[in-house]
Amino acid sequence: MEGQTVTTPNPYVPDPNASPMMPAQQSPYQQQGGVPAQGVPQPDMQQNWPAQPVAQGYPQGGYVSSGYGPVAPVKPRKSFKAAGILFGVGLLLALSPFIAGAIIELIPGNHGDGGDGMYWLAVAMIFYILPIGLILIVAAIITAIVIAAMNSSTQG
């Protein structure tokens, strides 16, 4: 190894071949027996690079970055999907007695007590299905408030 200088790789320049799931491998320069591969800087060229400042106050390891600097972990924002689903189902249940009443009106014939009595279906739905829909709408509002509070607490 006379005449060759061995330098350590720059820790601030990410290895393009590195993968967080794979163990560290030799650089292409080392794999080809000392002949630099195309696009790989030669060891003598690293001596002319300007010194890079050390980033203090940032975590140095354990984070995947794009090579432009340290990346702080980002907490995922909670989604309002559950609240939206609860609200949609609750709204559908709350409006279903009125939709059933409108559909009964479209059917020709006598639907009162002297006829087939279908008007009682809408009345029964008001007593049994409408309260469940209203409870789901209230649960959706509470869920949305809790999710909004969790999102605001992670930002502060």
Side-chain angles (χ1 to χ4, degrees), residues 40-155:
V40 176
Q42 296 177 2
D44 296 336
M45 292 174 60
Q46 288 184 349
Q47 294 173 358
N48 297 331
W49 290 355
Q52 296 180 355
V54 176
Q56 295 179 357
Y58 292 102
Q60 294 296 322
Y63 297 98
V64 178
S65 69
S66 60
Y68 292 108
V71 176
V74 177
K75 293 182 181 177
R77 293 180 55 96
K78 304 295 182 205
S79 172
F80 289 96
K81 184 185 251 184
I85 291 172
L86 280 174
F87 185 79
V89 171
L91 189 64
L92 181 67
L93 290 176
L95 292 179
S96 64
F98 305 107
I99 295 171
I103 292 173
I104 291 171
E105 284 293 322
L106 293 175
I107 300 172
N110 183 7
H111 304 297
D113 291 338
D116 59 10
M118 285 183 74
Y119 283 138
W120 285 107
L121 175 65
V123 173
M125 289 176 77
I126 288 174
F127 287 118
Y128 292 109
I129 296 179
L130 178 70
I132 295 170
L134 294 176
I135 289 170
L136 287 178
I137 289 173
V138 170
I141 292 170
I142 292 171
T143 304
I145 291 171
V146 168
I147 291 172
M150 287 173 56
N151 283 341
S152 66
S153 68
T154 58
Q155 291 179 2

Side-chain angles (χ1 to χ4, degrees), residues 17-43:
N17 299 323
S19 171
M21 303 302 288
M22 299 295 293
Q25 297 178 354
Q26 291 181 340
S27 70
Y29 179 75
Q30 294 169 341
Q31 290 175 353
Q32 294 183 3
V35 179
Q38 184 179 10
V40 176
Q42 296 177 2

